[in-house]
Amino acid sequence: MRKAPKFVLVLVTAPNRRVARRLATLALKSRLVACANLLPGVESHYWWQDRLETGREVLIVFKTTATAARRLERVILEAHPYETPEFIVVPINAGSPRYLDWITANTRVP
């Protein structure tokens, strides 16, 4: 049986940098993530209400623990302006032990 990953990346899109920064700050100040990378200029193509849509977004990549990701989801969904925000959790199967220790040291779950 495969062990569940301890660390994850969480992907969240935001409509602009202001919102992305607010969500990143909220997650960081809550100590639910060790790091948040903001990648502006993402061109998104997607279906919404039976229509093909296109838009510019900012992708936020959060680095956190699997345990903290569950709480992070509630915080992001509550604070996000989208009706159906993206919240995708990607397992980290391996990484530099020093970096993973850093994530652990800087992430706390209330």
Side-chain angles (χ1 to χ4, degrees), residues 13-15 39-46 52-59 82 86:
T13 51
L39 306 167
V42 172
E43 184 177 301
S44 297
H45 298 257
Y46 55 94
L52 190 55
E53 300 283 344
T54 303
R56 292 279 233 204
E57 294 183 297
V58 177
L59 176 63
Y82 288 171
E86 174 181 15

Side-chain angles (χ1 to χ4, degrees), residues 88-106:
I88 297 174
V89 179
V90 181
I92 298 174
N93 294 318
S96 160
R98 284 178 59 182
Y99 189 80
L100 298 177
D101 288 345
W102 174 80
I103 292 174
T104 298
N106 289 284

Side-chain angles (χ1 to χ4, degrees), residues 2-110:
R2 190 170 193 175
K3 191 169 121 180
K6 181 177 178 184
F7 303 98
V8 297
L9 298 177
V10 175
L11 308 177
V12 175
T13 51
N16 55 52
R17 284 184 191 194
R18 182 185 55 76
V19 170
R21 286 179 181 138
R22 183 172 52 80
L23 294 172
T25 299
L26 180 62
L28 287 159
K29 285 187 174 180
S30 299
R31 300 293 257 179
L32 294 172
V33 304
C35 178
N37 301 117
L38 278 56
L39 306 167
V42 172
E43 184 177 301
S44 297
H45 298 257
Y46 55 94
W47 284 102
W48 183 248
Q49 298 180 344
D50 291 325
R51 290 183 47 177
L52 190 55
E53 300 283 344
T54 303
R56 292 279 233 204
E57 294 183 297
V58 177
L59 176 63
I60 310 167
V61 180
F62 292 110
K63 282 85 169 223
T64 190
T65 64
T67 302
R70 291 188 286 276
R71 173 83 173 109
L72 178 64
E73 181 177 16
R74 289 191 298 271
V75 168
I76 294 297
L77 294 181
E78 187 175 292
H80 205 291
Y82 288 171
E83 181 181 327
T84 307
E86 174 181 15
F87 191 93
I88 297 174
V89 179
V90 181
I92 298 174
N93 294 318
S96 160
R98 284 178 59 182
Y99 189 80
L100 298 177
D101 288 345
W102 174 80
I103 292 174
T104 298
N106 289 284
T107 304
R108 295 182 183 81
V109 179

